[in-house]
């Protein structure tokens, strides 16, 4: 049972309001009696807070309870989900995906745009697509937009360290979004957002400590310790592609990770491994081909390929475990999803042979939209902090 903390009257009211709003967000419509039971608050206190939240436009009556009881059914109260709207954006080198959601995090509209590296018109097209999605969702304005993007995001300034490797339109898109009046823009590394999604709604929802290993065109990681995302001093925590590991083609450098762990588990490296093992590598883009190759290997029992791939992944995971001891590692990204529990089990077994720290390896469950899901969760947290006030969730 959740209980309110002792505080000054005004602070206590804010904390109680936040408790009630969080419960309505998590559980859906509740009666006053249910709120009293869940919060431990008195009948007059719950009545006062419901009246206060209704005046503020955050809560409204939502019908009556269907429970069988003597007398009239109890009135239900619900969060006013359209009190504010938010958006999540996943920015890749090949294009942009976006979703508009309400205060409860429900998806209302989506859009996708393909892009080329020199696509100068992409920022304008993306903003138009965002506004069209907002209009479709019935949103007069967007309170907060969270953007997931490759690269280092400085935790102190929120600025992107491009390092010269991202398409030029990335910076133009951020500038265009930030020029919109009345909308807050949150910038975050895309693997960190995927880690937030796995922690809140995915494979690590029962863990306070874990690391997500993102296996896609490249490789990255996000780290959650003590229930909090850890970004590092410069936002560089999780840049595991630069990790020097045995078997790599050389050493990484300040300007490239081609000699590090990246060279063993990138999409291109996995396609090359498949060819060396005599497997048919599908035609098409590198990432799609690598994902299809891994999925086919799992389905067809390509033992040697899967064992070598698991061994390569275990090298990088081992470095994470001996430094951080997260207890759990989640394999995400397009290639982690393609490998699923079969690849995760193989990595866990090989990892156990590389060191004394016992670590569970799980397949990611947040799905292909993990970055967008994390962006919506992040934007929603920011909106609720402002609208709900009170204590942190």
């Amino acid at each position: 049972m959740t209980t309110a903390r002792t505080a000054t009257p005004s602070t206590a009211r804010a904390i109680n309001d936040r408790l009630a709003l969080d419960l309505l967000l998590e559980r859906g419509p509740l009666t006053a009696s249910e709120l009293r039971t869940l919060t431990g608050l008195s009948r007059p206190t719950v009545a006062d807070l419901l009246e206060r939240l209704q005046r503020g436009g955050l809560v409204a009556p939502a019908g009556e309870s269907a429970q069988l009881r003597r007398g009239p059914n109890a009135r239900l109260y619900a969060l006013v989900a359209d009190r504010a709207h938010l958006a999540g954006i996943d920015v890749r080198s090949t294009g942009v995906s976006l979703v508009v959601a309400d205060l409860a995090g429900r998806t209302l509209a989506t859009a996708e745009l393909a892009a080329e590296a020199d696509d100068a018109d992409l920022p304008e097209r993306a903003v138009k697509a965002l506004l069209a999605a907002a209009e479709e969702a019935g949103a007069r304005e967007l309170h907060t937009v969270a953007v997931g993007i490759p690269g280092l995001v400085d935790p102190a300034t929120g600025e992107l360290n491009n390092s010269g490797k991202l398409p030029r339109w990335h910076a133009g898109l951020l500038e265009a979004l930030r020029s919109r009046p009345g909308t807050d823009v949150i910038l975050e590394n895309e693997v960190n957002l995927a880690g937030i999604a796995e922690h809140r709604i995915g494979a690590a929802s029962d863990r306070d400590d874990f690391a997500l290993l993102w296996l896609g065109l490249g490789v990255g990681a996000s780290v959650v310790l003590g229930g909090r995302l850890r970004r590092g001093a410069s936002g560089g925590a999780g840049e595991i592609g630069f990790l020097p590991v045995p078997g790599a083609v050389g050493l990484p450098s300040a300007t490239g990770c081609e000699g590090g762990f990246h060279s063993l588990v990138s999409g291109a490296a996995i396609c090359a491994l498949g060819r060396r093992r005599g497997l048919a590598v599908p035609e098409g883009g590198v990432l799609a081909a690598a994902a299809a190759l891994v999925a086919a290997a799992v389905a067809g029992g390509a033992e040697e390929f899967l064992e070598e791939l698991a061994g390569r992944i275990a090298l990088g995971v081992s470095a994470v475990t001996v430094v951080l001891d997260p207890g759990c590692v989640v394999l995400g990204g397009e290639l982690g999803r393609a490998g699923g529990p079969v690849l995760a089990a193989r990595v866990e077994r090989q990892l156990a042979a590389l060191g004394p720290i016992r670590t569970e390896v799980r397949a990611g469950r947040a799905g292909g939209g993990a970055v967008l899901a994390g962006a919506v969760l992040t934007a929603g947290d920011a909106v609720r902090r402002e609208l709900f006030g009170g204590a942190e969730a």
Side-chain angles (χ1 to χ4, degrees):
M1 179 176 69
T2 305
T3 58
R5 291 169 285 182
T6 302
T8 64
S10 61
T11 302
R13 284 193 295 271
I15 292 172
N16 293 341
D17 289 355
R18 181 65 186 261
L19 285 171
L21 287 165
D22 285 341
L23 284 167
L24 292 170
L25 175 67
E26 176 186 349
R27 296 172 178 256
L30 297 169
T31 65
S33 176
E34 288 169 332
L35 282 171
R36 290 197 301 272
T37 300
L38 291 167
T39 62
L41 299 171
S42 68
R43 182 187 298 269
T45 299
V46 169
D48 287 344
L49 75 82
L50 284 173
E51 182 181 351
R52 190 164 53 246
L53 294 174
Q54 288 181 85
R55 288 199 307 268
L58 289 171
V59 168
E64 296 182 341
S65 171
Q67 293 180 355
L68 295 176
R69 49 170 287 169
R70 292 182 179 179
N73 289 334
R75 175 175 291 180
L76 289 166
Y77 295 89
L79 181 71
V80 179
D82 61 359
R83 175 69 167 74
H85 293 87
L86 51 100
I89 301 181
D90 182 5
V91 180
R92 304 293 180 95
S93 60
T94 55
V96 173
S97 301
L98 61 90
V99 58
V100 173
D102 62 17
L103 186 56
R106 291 191 293 260
T107 296
L108 303 177
T110 62
E112 293 190 10
L113 294 86
E116 302 294 336
D118 58 350
D119 196 339
D121 295 333
L122 193 281
E124 181 180 357
R125 290 194 292 117
V127 170
K128 285 183 177 179
L130 180 62
L131 295 178
E135 182 177 358
E136 178 185 342
R140 293 188 298 274
E141 62 181 24
L142 293 173
H143 183 289
T144 300
V145 177
V147 183
I149 196 165
L152 276 63
V153 178
D154 191 313
T157 66
E159 296 300 318
L160 175 68
N161 178 5
N162 189 332
S163 74
K165 294 207 168 185
L166 300 177
R168 284 179 293 179
W169 58 260
H170 279 197
L173 174 58
L174 295 177
E175 183 179 347
L177 290 170
R178 286 171 169 164
S179 68
R180 300 290 308 171
T183 299
D184 293 331
V185 177
I186 300 171
L187 186 62
E188 182 60 89
N189 174 269
E190 92 272 45
V191 179
N192 282 344
L193 291 180
I196 289 171
E198 291 290 358
H199 185 220
R200 298 271 289 275
I201 60 173
S205 59
D206 61 335
R207 308 289 303 215
D208 284 334
D209 304 309
F210 83 101
L212 167 70
L213 187 69
W214 183 268
L215 298 164
L217 197 59
V219 60
S222 63
V223 178
V224 172
L225 297 176
R228 295 180 57 192
L229 178 69
R230 306 295 174 166
R231 298 176 176 86
S234 64
E239 290 296 318
I240 197 171
F242 287 87
L243 187 71
V245 292
V249 297
L251 289 175
S253 69
T255 58
C257 57
E258 289 76 11
F261 185 46
H262 171 92
S263 68
L264 293 183
V265 295
S266 68
I270 290 174
C271 288
L273 172 61
R275 294 187 186 96
R276 184 163 61 80
R277 290 292 183 183
L279 302 180
V281 178
E283 298 292 332
V286 171
L287 182 55
L293 178 63
V294 173
V298 169
E303 292 293 322
E304 292 183 351
F305 170 84
L306 288 173
E307 278 297 289
E308 184 168 351
L309 176 58
R312 291 182 177 192
I313 295 171
L315 287 175
V317 173
S318 177
V320 173
T321 61
V322 296
V323 174
L324 299 177
D325 188 18
C328 176
V329 171
V330 175
L331 302 185
E334 293 84 356
L335 307 183
R337 290 199 311 278
V342 171
L343 180 60
R346 289 173 180 264
V347 172
E348 181 175 326
R349 178 173 51 77
Q350 296 213 33
L351 179 64
L354 294 177
I357 300 174
R358 183 171 179 82
T359 305
E360 183 181 5
V361 180
R362 301 177 178 178
R365 291 206 305 262
V371 176
L372 276 177
V376 169
L377 288 166
T378 299
D381 288 345
V383 175
R384 290 187 288 273
R385 278 195 297 270
E386 180 174 325
L387 295 184
F388 291 7
E392 288 295 321

